[in-house]
Structure formats: structure tokens, C-alpha cells
Amino acid sequence: MVAEYALAPGNKLRVLMKYGQLRIVGSQDPDVRVKIYVDERQTSVEEIRRRLKVRYEPGGREARLEIIGMKNPRVEVLIPSETHLQAHLRAGELRIQGVKGDLRANLWAGEMNLEVPAQELYKFVRAHVRIGSVGCLFAGKTTGWLGRKYEAGFAGGRYRLDASVGVGD
């Protein structure tokens, strides 16, 4: 399933999904393109179309994209690279790459991987996990014992990056 929605570069986008694999990629395309992959061997195409819902609500300041209805879909969302992004996933795998803008990512349980285009774009970076580990390419060290945390401010950057994981990496 593929769907396209309009989003001007520089706008805010909130992406919400409960479970599964969510990959968000910055692109040169001015639209939001959602690709959803579901194992058709386990669920019929008719059942997928009936249960799977993609809701897009454009807004003046913030657009909202919500994917619901399936237990473990693989979703790829292509967005304009210059987008202020909030991504929320309850459980699964969250991967974000190539997005220039303020970035807030939340995952309750699973694995998160953020690949920023350039470290010098960020003036503040915070990464936190309650139970698990934090691996960070920015200068500095992580702190904490059970809850690992990385936090740093940098001169010259424009954006904020805030990532949190409940249980995972």
C-alpha cells in the first residue's frame, strides 16, 4: 500500500504508530509518501485493507500521520528532508535518517536508530533510555547506571534532538 500527502518543507510532522517497524527517511520530494508492507501470507489482502488505517491530518503548524490497525506492519515514510519531526512508536524498531530539523523520537520498547545528516546542525542533543544502552556519535559520554543518558549543548547548531527509549537500545 502506498499513499501520498502534501507537506511543505520546514513544517512540523507528528508520526504515530503502535507496533511494528517504522522507518522515516528525509528526501528531496516535497510530499509525504507512506509505504506499508504487510505479510500477505498470514493475512488476506481484503483483511489488510479493512483493518489497516492511515490517517493524515494536515495542519497550519503541524501535520499528523497515524498508522493503526495491524499488529506488525513494516512502514516506510518518506518526508521532505527539512521537516521538524516527532515520531512515536510503542514497540518495535524505529529508524530515522536524513531529516534536518528539530527531532523528537519516543519508543517505549525496542530499538531506535537515528542517523542525522550532520552533527553540526544540532545545538542541543539528549538521548535517554530507562533500561538498556545509549550509543551516540556526538562528543561526550553517557551517564547513569540502569538508565543511561547523553546530554550536550553545542555552539553554532540550529536544531534540537531529543530521543527516549523505555526499554531497549
Side-chain angles (χ1 to χ4, degrees):
M1 178 181 157
V2 177
E4 285 191 35
Y5 308 99
L7 180 71
N11 276 1
K12 294 180 183 178
L13 176 65
R14 180 180 296 214
V15 179
L16 304 143
M17 193 167 106
K18 287 186 179 181
Y19 314 103
Q21 298 174 14
L22 177 58
R23 181 174 179 237
I24 302 172
V25 180
S27 74
Q28 298 306 315
D29 193 350
D31 296 328
V32 174
R33 179 175 288 152
V34 180
K35 297 179 183 178
I36 301 174
Y37 308 93
V38 178
D39 188 354
E40 294 174 5
R41 294 174 294 178
Q42 294 180 357
T43 309
S44 70
V45 175
E46 294 81 27
E47 182 72 10
I48 293 168
R49 287 189 178 145
R50 187 179 65 75
R51 290 179 48 205
L52 186 65
K53 305 285 186 253
V54 177
R55 294 184 184 137
Y56 182 75
E57 299 171 7
R61 293 187 167 189
E62 179 180 273
R64 178 182 166 117
L65 174 67
E66 186 174 9
I67 300 112
I68 57 173
M70 297 299 295
K71 288 188 180 180
N72 195 21
R74 231 176 62 229
V75 177
E76 181 179 69
V77 180
L78 301 172
I79 64 174
S81 61
E82 294 185 21
T83 299
H84 301 294
L85 176 67
Q86 289 188 24
H88 303 279
L89 179 66
R90 282 192 187 169
E93 182 181 332
L94 176 60
R95 179 181 204 96
I96 300 172
Q97 60 192 67
V99 178
K100 297 178 202 170
D102 291 331
L103 176 59
R104 174 172 278 165
N106 295 312
L107 174 66
W108 288 2
E111 182 178 330
M112 180 187 299
N113 187 343
L114 307 177
E115 298 174 21
V116 296
Q119 294 179 3
E120 58 271 3
L121 292 173
Y122 294 89
K123 66 180 174 186
F124 178 79
V125 175
R126 179 183 171 273
H128 177 261
V129 63
R130 291 176 197 243
I131 300 173
S133 63
V134 173
C136 191
L137 297 175
F138 288 89
K141 293 184 178 183
T142 61
T143 60
W145 176 67
L146 188 60
R148 303 293 296 173
K149 181 178 178 181
Y150 172 86
E151 192 169 298
F154 303 99
R158 303 185 341 195
Y159 304 121
R160 297 178 62 85
L161 188 152
D162 189 357
S164 65
V165 176
V167 178
D169 296 318

